[in-house]
Each structure stands twice: as structure tokens, then as C-alpha cells.
Amino acid sequence: MASSSDVHIRICGQEIIKYDLEIKALIQDIRECCGPQAVLMDMNSTVKEKFNRLRQRIQDMEQMAKEQDRETDKQAILSEMEGHRKQMLSNQMAWRKANLACKQAIDNLEKDELLQGGDSVRQRKATKEGLVQTSSDITESLMSISRMMAQQVQQSEESIGTLASSSRTVQETNEEFKAMTGTIHLGRKLILKYNRRELTDKLLIFLALALFLATVLYILKKRLFPFI
């Protein structure tokens, strides 16, 4: 059974995919848009709102990754989150290109109107101002993505530093274990050596005692029974 955390991560991923598809569809609409300016501004406003929601859900996924107990789960979620973040950056670039294409289409339409004698100076001014604001919004979004990616790189560097420190600790522990193992083997050899030495000493003592008793018995025999 999936845990509550797994369910939240799955829901978050599904919402990210939904926003990504909605943004792609809106970008395609902007690319095909030929005006008027109000329509373009409305679509750009919707896209900006979708990007804000998408960015928030990606940040939520990053926070969920940090709350994981197992490092493997954490890295898997962070890898998925990084993929969504790169896709968001790609959508940002496509959004900007779509606006440039739309601007070109509106400019061409205005030129046609001028050739036909239409009074479109005021509309062209509003169009250019709106597109400048849209470009500013896109640039701001790209800068935000850049800051997020820089933060992720810094966090990755910190994680690598932590792993390297853990690796050194494990290596030092392994060296201490090897040294301790060598000491234990040496102690075992010394114990075996002392055990053999003790057995030899006991044997020598036994032989000396037997020789002493034999000497005593021999002396007693000569004194008490000289005729034997």
C-alpha cells in the first residue's frame, strides 16, 4: 500500500504534467494568433498564471524530496523534479518565440492596414507597449527559472560534499577495523604461543619432579637396603 507521502508526490507530478500540457496548448495558440492585442494580452496573462502554478508545484515536489528518509527516494524525486524544471524552461523559451512570431504577424497586419488607408497608429503603439510588457514578463520568468536552477546546483554540490564526507568516514572506519583485526590476530598468536610455553613448562616440571623422586628413592634404597 502506498504511503501518504507517495500519494502526494504522485498527485503533484500529475498536476505538473497537466500544467505543462495546458501551457504548451496556450503557446501554440499564441504562435497562431494574429491579434488583436487584447486577445494576445489575455492569453499571455493566462500563460503567466499557469507558469506560476507550475513553478509552485515543482517547488512542492522539491520540498517533498527533502523530507524523504531514504537517500535513494530523495534522489529519484529530485531527478524527476529536475526534468520538470528543464521542461518548464523549454516552455519559457517557446513562449518567448511564440510572442515574437505573434508580434511579427500583428506588425504585418498593421502594415496592410496602413496601405489600405486605415488609422492604426494608436493600435500599433498599444500593441508594441503590450509586447514590451510581455517580453519583460517572460524575461522575469526566465530569470526566476535561472535562480531556481542555480539554487538546485548549489544544493547538489552540498549533497556531493556530504556524500564525500560520508565516504571518508566509512574509509577511516574501515582502516580502523583492519588495524583492530591485525591486533586481534597478533593477540591470538601470542595466546597460542603462551599456551604452548605453559605446556612445555609443565612437562619440564613433571620430568624434573620425576627425576627428583627417582633420585630420592635411589638414595633411600642404598641406605636402607645396601645389600640389595
Side-chain angles (χ1 to χ4, degrees):
M1 183 180 295
S3 64
S4 176
S5 177
D6 294 336
V7 173
H8 290 160
I9 293 171
R10 189 182 308 114
I11 293 175
C12 184
Q14 291 173 352
E15 291 182 352
I16 289 174
I17 294 173
K18 183 190 72 170
Y19 290 137
D20 177 72
L21 293 175
E22 291 175 350
I23 289 171
K24 281 181 169 63
L26 287 167
I27 291 173
Q28 182 62 30
D29 291 340
I30 292 174
R31 187 179 293 111
E32 297 173 356
C33 176
C34 295
Q37 174 65 20
V39 174
L40 177 60
M41 292 182 67
D42 286 342
M43 287 193 292
N44 278 320
S45 177
T46 303
V47 173
K48 187 175 181 180
E49 180 183 356
K50 296 292 184 182
F51 269 120
N52 289 336
R53 293 182 181 179
L54 176 60
R55 186 180 300 108
Q56 182 60 49
R57 298 310 290 158
I58 291 175
Q59 291 175 350
D60 292 342
M61 178 174 284
E62 182 178 11
Q63 182 61 35
M64 292 178 189
K66 294 178 181 179
E67 296 173 355
Q68 297 300 309
D69 295 329
R70 294 190 300 180
E71 185 66 23
T72 53
D73 294 342
K74 176 181 178 181
Q75 293 301 326
I77 298 173
L78 286 176
S79 177
E80 180 181 354
M81 181 272 298
E82 186 63 25
H84 291 313
R85 180 172 289 168
K86 290 180 179 179
Q87 184 60 48
M88 181 172 64
L89 180 60
S90 175
N91 287 337
Q92 291 274 5
M93 300 297 294
W95 182 27
R96 185 165 188 171
K97 291 179 180 179
N99 271 275
L100 292 175
C102 182
K103 177 182 180 300
Q104 183 65 39
I106 293 175
D107 286 343
N108 291 336
L109 183 61
E110 290 177 355
K111 290 178 182 179
D112 292 339
E113 290 178 353
L114 284 174
L115 292 174
Q116 294 174 2
D119 185 9
S120 59
V121 175
R122 184 177 303 173
Q123 181 181 358
R124 183 170 67 251
K125 181 179 179 182
T127 299
K128 290 183 177 179
E129 290 177 351
L131 289 174
V132 168
Q133 181 61 39
T134 299
S135 298
S136 177
D137 292 340
I138 295 174
T139 301
E140 181 181 353
S141 297
L142 289 172
M143 291 178 64
S144 177
I145 294 294
S146 178
R147 288 192 295 269
M148 291 172 62
M149 294 185 69
Q151 182 181 4
Q152 181 63 30
V153 170
Q154 182 180 0
Q155 292 176 353
S156 299
E157 291 176 351
E158 292 175 355
S159 298
I160 292 173
T162 301
L163 290 174
S165 177
S166 300
S167 177
R168 286 194 298 270
T169 302
V170 171
Q171 186 176 1
E172 291 173 358
T173 303
N174 187 38
E175 293 297 332
E176 292 178 359
F177 177 74
K178 289 180 179 180
M180 187 178 297
T181 302
T183 303
I184 292 174
H185 285 322
L186 180 60
R188 183 180 178 184
K189 290 181 180 180
L190 291 174
I191 291 173
L192 292 174
K193 181 179 179 180
Y194 289 146
N195 287 337
R196 289 194 297 269
R197 182 64 178 272
E198 183 180 6
L199 179 61
T200 302
D201 292 343
K202 288 180 179 180
L203 181 60
L204 291 175
I205 292 172
F206 176 76
L207 292 175
L209 182 60
L211 179 60
F212 174 74
L213 291 176
T215 302
V216 171
L217 290 175
Y218 178 76
I219 293 172
L220 290 174
K221 176 182 176 184
K222 290 295 183 181
R223 291 195 175 187
L224 295 176
F225 308 100
F227 51 86
I228 297 178

